Amino acid sequence: MSRTALRICPLCEATCGLTLTVDGDRVTGARGDRDDVFSAGFICPKGAAFGELDGDPDRLSRPLVRRDGELRETSWEEAFDAVAEGLRPVIDAHGPDAVAVVLGNPNVHTMAGALYPPLLLGALRTRNLYTASTVDQMPKHVSSGLLFGDPFAIPVPDLDRTAHLLLIGANPLDSNGSLCTAPDFPGRLKALRRRGGTLTVIDPRRTRTARLADRHVAIRPGADALLLAALVQVLFAEDLVDPGVLADRVDGVAEVRARSADFTPEAVAGACDVPAAEIRAIARELAAAPTAAVYGRVGSSTVEFGTLANWLVDVLNTLTGNLDRPGGAMFPLAATARAPRPAGPGKGFDLGRRHSRVSGHPEVKGEFPLAALAEEIDTPGDGRVRAVLAVAANPVLSAPDGDRLDRALAGLDFMVAVDPYLNETSRHAQVVLPPPRPAQSAHHDFAFNGFAVRNQVRYTREVLPLPDGRPDECEILARLVLCVSGMHGADPSAVDTLAIDTALAKAVADPHSPVHGRDPAGLAGQLHGRTGAERRLDLMLRLGPYGDGFGAPGAAGPEQAPGGLGLEVLLAHPHGIDLGPLAPRLPELLRTRSGKIELCPEPVAADLPRLRRALTGRPAGLVLVGRRHLRSNNSWMHNLPALTGGSNRCTLQVHPEDAGRLGLVHGAEAEVTADGGGLRVPVEVTDAVRAGVVSLPHGWGHDRPGTRLRVASADAGANVNQLLDGSLLDPLSGTAVLNGFPVQVAPVR
Ligand SMILES: Nc1nc2c(c(=O)[nH]1)N[C@H]1C(S)=C(S)[C@@H](COP(=O)(O)OP(=O)(O)OC[C@H]3O[C@@H](n4cnc5c(=O)[nH]c(N)nc54)[C@H](O)[C@@H]3O)O[C@H]1N2
Ligand SMILES: Nc1nc2c(c(=O)[nH]1)N[C@H]1C(S)=C(S)[C@@H](COP(=O)(O)OP(=O)(O)OC[C@H]3O[C@@H](n4cnc5c(=O)[nH]c(N)nc54)[C@H](O)[C@@H]3O)O[C@H]1N2
Ligand code: SF4
Ligand SMILES: [Mo]
């Protein structure tokens, strides 16, 4: 007998609601949930492969512990004993800084990844935190931190209402969107066109997204900050600046004007490969649109001027009056966010409160660059990293110079990997702790609801029960918290209890909280939920902007949405609750020291001379950019037959002109070299990539020994990040330059 069950898809940022078909303990089908309040039935090939991913025979079902050099299956008790035994001597002898925590991308796709890493870091107190943010969106956090005082105050395009979208270095038709959670992004872009809106795409490749656009600008990679600075210059020069209602909430407009003055379209045209007239036209269209949103993603982030480009995106949104207005770039308000409070000056956002040991990289948001992890492990001396806790991370493939990191991890005293696969990174661990199958895990999007184009909230419980004695990922991470706290063996629910007690103590002491002055123990007793994670979700919902405030008189959501939210209400709405379109949130969310938008923050201003130098120093030769395929997901979905093959291959895309000049033949191999090393890949000659640019996807290179990825290793591909030596970073954010770096390409004879 088969049955159906609802599960929010955790495989990308679109967060689609799925209807799964379940036969016994297997998921045999997945389709879009037509009643989902947000995704309304949308599904993509990855979501459709949910069952295959869930049932992948290479997925680890039991923990592994290394004994006599070999990883062997063991019991959970033994595995956590081994963690406690392995970590203790490192911490005792060298202090907590000798343990690095490495957090990978799927942490934003699990409840465990949202709820426990902060507790783990709080308990361990290491300065060595490395995450996927510094190979991804850290420039946006820095920009938002400086502009708005909060690194998580990230405006998203109001996709369903905007009249004009300027999209830079993003390909949502293949990625399904990022820092802009919008199930059926393709459909929403088509709807924009249908209602008479316009789409401009800036991308060195003619992507599927670019093919939908009214205007596609094939910019020279890495030059976006120059182009955006020129757009700002045109707005000022042509008197098109109009921040609208924001005018008296913005500081620094005159400074931006002065500092952008020399970035004229004529001055940047040569470096961008975009004619000055076209730059002017883009600026004028942006200013003239009734509403518009500027939005940049990976291609404008993991680049030499990533922070400047991300800053300029919101400078443009602000100067055109589109920030925080319907149809512009708006700030979502998630159900688990802190409830709004009166506006006023905040603590601001500081960079570089400490520096990394080897290269002196400034800390950003409590992190050091992932690109610097290898040197922090393999460079001898005091303060060396000797142990690693890696949760949902595969930096051997996703970070620069995987070979060096591979060797460094092999030389650690101790490593724990929380990962469902034995892959390029986890193979170095002494203990591997596999989370259960996604069908056995509950789901709520703590992270992505904060970047969603519509306020909504959904929660799906596990579809299949956990086998007896099998911890879910929340419990795995809670037990790790106990291990680093010297409390190994204690009941893991103590971790949740502590988290709840801490949060309630803060809330009752906060005059702006709906529970100000109430008895925390009484409130804790009112929490619902079958697990610690559910009770913590209930707490956040009830104290949140739409929450019931534990029955506080007058507790109600913002005007456009119902209040009264809590876990029980959510459980009664299995397809989710719509909380309305995005609504203006300024000035309430500003946390800058001035209480205003600080449009020309000092660290950004200090980086502008570097951008100015790029006006003239255009490097010769080919540069490389990445790409994503609809049926891929970073490094870990190459093991599913349903998602591999066809056009989803690790090929070097080369423009016909470059292929002709270099003697590269479609289907034959090319040798690609750069500062960090070389690799060989098949050539794909295509004019979808512009001349002077080659493109190679990331997440490949599954040919290392000691992994258990039978499908992926049969079609291994090459690791693009081996071309990098880890030294090329956006200096303000510590983000690796993964796009627009110089390479040499030659045919393999
Ligand atoms: N050259 C180049 N490099 C890039 C990029 C690029 O565009 N170009 N993109 C960068 C970006 S944007 C990102 S986000 C990073 C991603 O890089 P990483 O953060 O390293 O993420 P993944 O490669 O997706 O690997 C995720 C790991 O998590 C495991 N995993 C999957 N599901 C779960 C789960 O539910 N729980 C746990 N505990 N583990 C799980 C997988 O098996 C895998 O080992 O790569 C970056 N690297
Ligand atoms: N199918 C699939 N979906 C995914 C992922 C995946 O691996 N596969 N990964 C997920 C993750 S972790 C993330 S962060 C998101 C990323 O989501 P997106 O940012 O939409 O992803 P990309 O497809 O990498 O788009 C980046 C685009 O930037 C272009 N580009 C490269 N260099 C430059 C440049 O210098 N300037 C400009 N203007 N453009 C440039 C590239 O050609 C590419 O088309 O996708 C998520 N969704
Ligand atoms: S678009 Fe993303 S969330 Fe939606 S089904 Fe595909 S992978 Fe899942
Ligand atoms: Mo990412």
Side-chain angles (χ1 to χ4, degrees), residues 9 11-12 14-16 18 42-44 46-47 176:
C9 179
L11 303 181
C12 88
T15 72
C16 302
L18 304 182
F42 183 78
I43 189 168
C44 86
K46 286 203 296 284
N176 278 309

Side-chain angles (χ1 to χ4, degrees), residues 433-483:
L433 305 168
R437 295 153 49 188
Q440 295 167 335
S441 313
H443 194 80
H444 170 76
D445 283 295
F446 286 102
F448 298 123
N449 288 344
F451 307 120
V453 300
R454 201 168 163 96
N455 291 321
Q456 41 70 45
V457 57
R458 293 164 296 155
Y459 173 62
T460 48
R461 277 185 165 157
E462 63 281 6
V463 164
L464 289 167
L466 277 172
D468 270 350
R470 176 96 173 70
D472 65 7
E473 188 161 5
C474 291
E475 184 179 335
I476 292 173
L477 296 190
R479 290 220 211 167
L480 281 183
V481 175
L482 294 175
C483 286

Side-chain angles (χ1 to χ4, degrees), residues 174-187:
D174 286 317
S175 70
N176 278 309
S178 181
L179 291 186
C180 177
T181 282
D184 195 13
F185 211 125

Side-chain angles (χ1 to χ4, degrees), residues 59-352:
R59 187 178 271 279
L60 303 173
S61 57
R62 303 186 63 201
L64 306 177
V65 172
R66 195 176 297 278
R67 300 262 186 246
D68 307 321
E70 239 181 276
L71 283 170
R72 301 214 175 113
E73 285 197 357
T74 176
S75 70
W76 286 96
E77 296 320 313
E78 275 176 61
F80 284 107
D81 287 346
V83 173
E85 279 163 30
L87 279 178
R88 200 70 266 161
V90 177
I91 297 175
D92 285 348
H94 306 285
D97 291 340
V99 183
V101 174
V102 181
L103 302 175
N105 168 275
N107 281 300
V108 285
H109 295 277
T110 64
M111 293 182 74
L115 293 176
Y116 297 88
L119 305 176
L120 184 68
L121 292 163
L124 183 60
R125 301 202 161 276
T126 175
R127 69 205 291 271
N128 279 302
L129 170 64
Y130 303 82
T131 83
S133 296
T134 51
V135 284
D136 187 351
Q137 82 290 356
M138 192 60 102
K140 191 84 241 174
H141 291 305
V142 172
S143 165
S144 283
L146 295 171
L147 283 167
F148 312 123
D150 176 355
F152 288 97
I154 294 177
V156 305
D158 188 8
L159 208 50
D160 299 337
R161 291 184 290 182
T162 194
H164 180 73
L165 181 61
L166 175 55
L167 194 147
I168 304 148
N171 180 16
L173 261 76
D174 286 317
S175 70
N176 278 309
S178 181
L179 291 186
C180 177
T181 282
D184 195 13
F185 211 125
R188 289 173 204 258
L189 286 182
K190 287 172 195 153
L192 161 74
R193 299 292 311 277
R194 270 202 307 278
R195 64 177 180 267
T198 45
L199 172 66
T200 294
V201 171
I202 301 181
D203 197 310
R205 298 186 307 119
R206 196 174 66 255
T207 59
R208 294 205 298 138
T209 308
R211 280 178 221 161
L212 270 188
D214 299 87
R215 186 194 282 283
H216 169 219
V217 181
I219 193 170
R220 188 176 67 84
D224 299 81
L226 289 170
L227 178 95
L228 295 171
L231 297 180
V232 170
Q233 192 275 341
V234 174
L235 293 182
F236 281 115
E238 302 194 357
D239 209 11
L240 299 172
V241 169
D242 179 12
V245 295
L246 295 178
D248 56 359
R249 302 210 183 287
V250 189
D251 267 355
V253 175
E255 285 87 340
V256 172
R257 175 185 200 126
R259 287 170 196 270
S260 60
D262 45 349
F263 294 97
T264 61
E266 286 71 19
V268 307
C272 296
D273 283 347
V274 183
E278 183 158 31
I279 299 175
R280 283 215 162 71
I282 297 170
R284 289 171 188 160
E285 283 164 13
L286 183 66
T291 60
V294 187
Y295 161 71
R297 261 317 268 132
V298 162
S300 62
S301 190
T302 53
V303 289
E304 215 181 330
F305 301 103
T307 301
L308 289 180
N310 275 273
W311 165 70
L312 285 160
V313 160
D314 286 325
V315 166
L316 285 166
N317 282 322
T318 306
L319 293 179
T320 53
N322 282 302
L323 188 76
D324 199 43
R325 84 160 166 197
M330 304 192 75
F331 300 96
L333 184 60
T336 53
R338 198 169 67 165
R341 52 192 51 220
K347 287 198 199 123
F349 177 74
D350 292 315
L351 293 163

Side-chain angles (χ1 to χ4, degrees), residues 533-570:
E534 281 196 349
R535 280 189 290 279
R536 291 174 66 189
L537 172 61
D538 189 40
L539 176 65
M540 290 162 86
L541 291 170
R542 296 173 77 176
L543 293 181
Y546 316 89
D548 72 359
F550 291 84
E559 267 166 57
Q560 78 284 1
L565 211 58
L567 181 69
E568 296 213 304
V569 178
L570 202 47

